[in-house]
Amino acid sequence: AQKVTQAQTEISVVEKEDVTLDCVYETRDTTYYLFWYKQPPSGELVFLIRRNSFDEQNEISGRYSWNFQKSTSSFNFTITASQVVDSAVYFCALSPTTRRQLTFGSGTQLTVLP
Amino acid sequence: DGGITQSPKYLFRKEGQNVTLSCEQNLNHDAMYWYRQDPGQGLRLIYYSQIVNDFQKGDIAEGYSVSREKKESFPLTVTSAQKNPTAFYLCASSTGLEAFFGQGTRLTVV
């Protein structure tokens, strides 16, 4: 069984603040993928990043960065210098590499105030 | 443009009626999925299909049915057996490395 936990239901920050969204997962699979998706008010999920369980190297893409720690089963997402356009629901997800089945966390509603 | 099209965007159903949500993709993906989203509960998997003419139940399949007669299409029927169908429904297709989502259908029972 797989499980993804996003303990932060809602987060509010003021523009230009840094914010970290937490994600903790459980899986019995030895190889898996971790994902982050963004859901703006329009409803469509937008892919942000995929990380293979073999690759624990942190990644930075512009203002976004991801910290994968296999020892603590966490895959946290940080937005640096947040902007109002970052306001959305963010989902963390997990998928075994042997089958294509995404399990999502409950999401974190991020509100960035001007 | 390549992508996933869900229709309609908004759907109203009377209690006791079956209703079918459409999902079409032109990405040539083998795998397709249906998720249900309720406030504060994230996305829960209803059904998925890895290949044409084959599909499996997800975590909350009761009250739903699907078909996969064509690679491009994966319609979801919400039957009268689904006791609480009001929700946002998302369809996705996947390469295995990334899932692409439609814009969703918001179903309301009136």
Side-chain angles (χ1 to χ4, degrees):
Chain A
Q2 304 182 132
K3 184 178 180 181
V4 177
T5 301
Q6 295 180 254
Q8 304 153 308
T9 305
E10 298 181 21
I11 300 176
S12 288
V13 299
V14 177
E15 204 170 19
K16 298 184 182 177
E17 286 185 0
D18 298 347
V19 58
T20 296
L21 310 182
D22 297 332
C23 173
V24 175
Y25 63 92
E26 297 173 29
T27 181
R28 295 177 185 169
D29 293 283
T30 55
T31 61
Y32 48 90
Y33 294 114
L34 293 163
F35 302 81
W36 275 96
Y37 284 86
K38 174 182 180 179
Q39 186 179 40
S42 62
E44 183 175 354
L45 266 72
V46 177
F47 169 82
L48 295 178
I49 190 173
R50 179 189 69 251
R51 171 64 70 221
N52 189 310
S53 56
F54 286 115
D55 183 4
E56 291 194 61
Q57 188 174 7
N58 291 333
E59 182 161 339
I60 298 175
S61 176
R63 296 185 297 107
Y64 295 170
S65 62
W66 291 270
N67 181 3
F68 176 33
Q69 293 193 346
K70 205 168 182 178
S71 60
T72 57
S73 298
S74 66
F75 186 44
N76 296 338
F77 173 32
T78 297
I79 301 175
T80 303
S82 60
Q83 300 176 0
V84 172
V85 294
D86 294 328
S87 297
V89 181
Y90 290 86
F91 290 97
C92 181
L94 168 69
S95 174
T97 56
T98 54
R99 60 187 186 280
R100 291 165 287 186
Q101 184 174 344
L102 279 169
T103 298
F104 284 85
S106 57
T108 298
Q109 170 73 61
L110 174 64
T111 302
V112 181
L113 304 170
Chain B
D1 286 1
I4 300 179
T5 302
Q6 288 187 244
S7 61
K9 190 171 183 179
Y10 298 97
L11 189 57
F12 297 90
R13 189 195 91 173
K14 293 182 179 179
E15 285 194 27
Q17 283 184 338
N18 292 356
V19 64
T20 297
L21 283 59
S22 171
C23 178
E24 303 279 332
Q25 56 105 354
N26 60 5
L27 301 168
N28 200 35
H29 290 166
D30 287 318
M32 295 188 73
Y33 308 82
W34 274 104
Y35 290 90
R36 170 178 170 144
Q37 185 177 15
D38 296 283
Q41 293 194 43
L43 280 71
R44 292 182 291 168
L45 182 64
I46 305 172
Y47 268 98
Y48 64 102
S49 168
Q50 303 280 27
I51 198 168
V52 174
N53 292 323
D54 185 51
F55 48 83
Q56 288 79 40
K57 294 181 179 180
D59 300 320
I60 56 166
E62 185 175 351
Y64 300 96
S65 66
V66 294
S67 63
R68 187 83 188 279
E69 297 176 1
K70 299 186 300 182
K71 189 174 187 178
E72 303 79 18
S73 179
F74 191 41
L76 173 73
T77 297
V78 184
T79 74
S80 56
Q82 171 50 237
K83 298 305 178 187
N84 185 23
T86 295
F88 187 58
Y89 292 87
L90 280 162
C91 177
S93 71
S94 173
T95 63
L97 298 179
E98 181 180 341
F100 296 81
F101 286 82
Q103 291 193 316
T105 294
R106 191 167 299 279
L107 173 63
T108 304
V109 173
V110 297

